[in-house]
Amino acid sequence: MPAPTIRAIARELGLSRTTVSEALRGLSRVRPATIRKIQDKAQAMGYRPNPLASAVMSEIRRSQAQLFRGGLAAVDFVEADRPDHSARFHAALIEGGRSRAAELGYNLQTFIVDRKRLTVERLDRILQSRGIHGVFLLPAWQEPDISRLDWTQYAGIYTDYMIERPALHSISCDHYRSMVGALERITRMGYRRPGVFLRRHHDERLQHRWEGAFVAYQNNRPELKKVPALILDTYERAPFIRWFKRYRPDVVLGHWTPAIEWMKECGGEVPGTAGFVCLNVSTEPRECAGLDFRPRILGARGVEQLIAQLQRNERGIPSPASITMIPALWRDGPTLTPRNAGAPVGV
């Protein structure tokens, strides 16, 4: 039997080829009820998109994007305990995602889930009424639960390490590889007593990838003096100062840049006698040496993967879910200086 085509599906339903094609790509100009009807018929007939034909049509749509506009939803969450600095990271994710979506002929709209104003159930109704079938989930500080969306209608991508309710494809920085890369760089610069300062929840939500990479690197580099990781429930001055005075790390790796002032209180001169590496310069306004997660690239890649799912007519919870990891980029800054002659610097 020949493979069913869009023309065959249109003939069976008495619809135009254009309507069927747009419905299978999830474009908002087709009514949600019609999209479901077409998708059900396509599945029953065993329709599978031709990737080569899709590639050609994608190139045509890219050159005529204003004529082929589909909708995507960027979904963020209201969380009272989320760190304030994460707003800069989220804004960059959306900026990168929106720019790439526009290049591919889609419009990325932002929705903020809030138990009082916009519940997940209400969001589900809004997205279906607008014919939006691509969901671009922003990182949540606590374990996110977006399972009450009717996922038979959506393709999704999560822009952080992992999500379980439901388990979706995700895109994230490669935290383990990035920590090892940062440690290798500062070791080449002559630092020998690195210490890491982390907020416990920040590491737990990544399944201890920051601490795991740090400890593994220490254990396999005999030239380094071992400094135990300082992991606290909240960023606190007193325990940090006790730790810093007792172990005297010559460089501190962490997210919390106010710790630089605490180092100075202990007699540390940054970058003179001690250095500081920010583990995510994208979230901090203070200029530091450290890791750039490149959130605009993460956002753009996430949108690419989401649109690819829509073009393949893939909806629902994937099995298994996969994760794409992109290593952070090193950024030089004023909080580090070479400790030995001829130490390499630069990206």
Side-chain angles (χ1 to χ4, degrees), residues 114-131:
D114 182 344
R115 293 179 181 176
K116 295 181 179 179
R117 288 183 287 272
L118 180 60
T119 64
V120 173
E121 292 84 356
R122 183 168 176 235
L123 174 66
D124 187 46
R125 294 193 296 271
I126 291 172
L127 297 184
Q128 292 201 42
S129 68
R130 297 185 185 182

Side-chain angles (χ1 to χ4, degrees), residues 241-310:
I241 287 179
R242 289 195 298 269
W243 171 79
F244 190 84
K245 287 183 175 179
R246 178 176 179 181
Y247 296 104
R248 307 304 301 180
D250 59 2
V251 58
V252 174
L253 299 92
H255 300 86
W256 185 246
T257 57
I260 295 173
E261 304 307 318
W262 300 342
M263 295 165 66
K264 293 178 180 178
E265 289 183 40
C266 300
E269 297 179 8
V270 180
T273 60
F276 185 85
V277 174
C278 181
L279 293 178
N280 188 351
V281 299
S282 309
T283 64
E284 293 294 331
R286 183 168 185 163
E287 189 177 1
C288 292
L291 299 174
D292 180 357
F293 280 21
R294 299 186 280 182
R296 289 172 182 81
I297 290 178
L298 288 173
R301 292 287 178 84
V303 160
E304 289 173 359
Q305 293 187 18
L306 181 58
I307 291 175
Q309 292 180 66
L310 293 174

Side-chain angles (χ1 to χ4, degrees), residues 2 32 61 70 92-93 95 97 108 122 124 148 153 169 176 179 217 222 229 246 254 263 279:
R61 294 183 198 105
L93 281 170
E95 182 181 332
L108 183 65
R122 183 168 176 235
D124 187 46
R148 290 187 298 280
Q153 301 300 314
H169 297 311
Y176 192 102
M179 171 65 88
Y217 189 84
R246 178 176 179 181
M263 295 165 66
L279 293 178

Side-chain angles (χ1 to χ4, degrees), residues 27-144:
L27 296 189
S28 58
R29 67 185 71 189
V30 184
R31 290 182 300 175
T34 303
I35 290 177
R36 287 193 293 272
K37 178 181 177 181
I38 292 170
Q39 289 174 348
D40 290 344
K41 174 59 72 173
Q43 183 175 5
M45 294 177 66
Y47 170 77
R48 293 292 183 273
N50 183 326
L52 295 178
S54 296
V56 172
M57 292 307 298
S58 293
E59 186 60 33
I60 294 173
R61 294 183 198 105
R62 186 178 297 112
S63 63
Q64 299 178 336
Q66 69 277 12
L67 301 178
F68 296 89
R69 184 71 65 177
L72 305 174
V75 178
D76 205 351
F77 307 88
V78 172
E79 298 175 293
D81 56 348
R82 181 194 294 175
D84 293 338
H85 57 242
S86 64
R88 299 181 65 209
F89 190 76
H90 285 210
L93 281 170
I94 292 175
E95 182 181 332
R98 181 168 288 140
S99 175
R100 187 62 176 138
E103 292 173 357
L104 297 175
Y106 286 77
N107 177 38
L108 183 65
Q109 306 172 49
T110 302
F111 298 86
I112 310 297
V113 171
D114 182 344
R115 293 179 181 176
K116 295 181 179 179
R117 288 183 287 272
L118 180 60
T119 64
V120 173
E121 292 84 356
R122 183 168 176 235
L123 174 66
D124 187 46
R125 294 193 296 271
I126 291 172
L127 297 184
Q128 292 201 42
S129 68
R130 297 185 185 182
I132 296 175
H133 298 279
V135 179
F136 179 86
L137 292 172
L138 294 164
W141 181 244
Q142 299 297 335
E143 183 179 353

Side-chain angles (χ1 to χ4, degrees), residues 191-206:
Y191 291 93
R192 291 296 179 266
R193 297 193 312 279
V196 68
F197 171 40
L198 301 170
R199 187 172 176 181
R200 191 178 313 280
H201 181 66
H202 212 153
D203 197 38
E204 286 178 345
R205 64 193 294 274
L206 300 174

Side-chain angles (χ1 to χ4, degrees), residues 34 227-228 235 261 314 321:
T34 303
V227 175
Y235 294 125
E261 304 307 318
E314 294 176 358

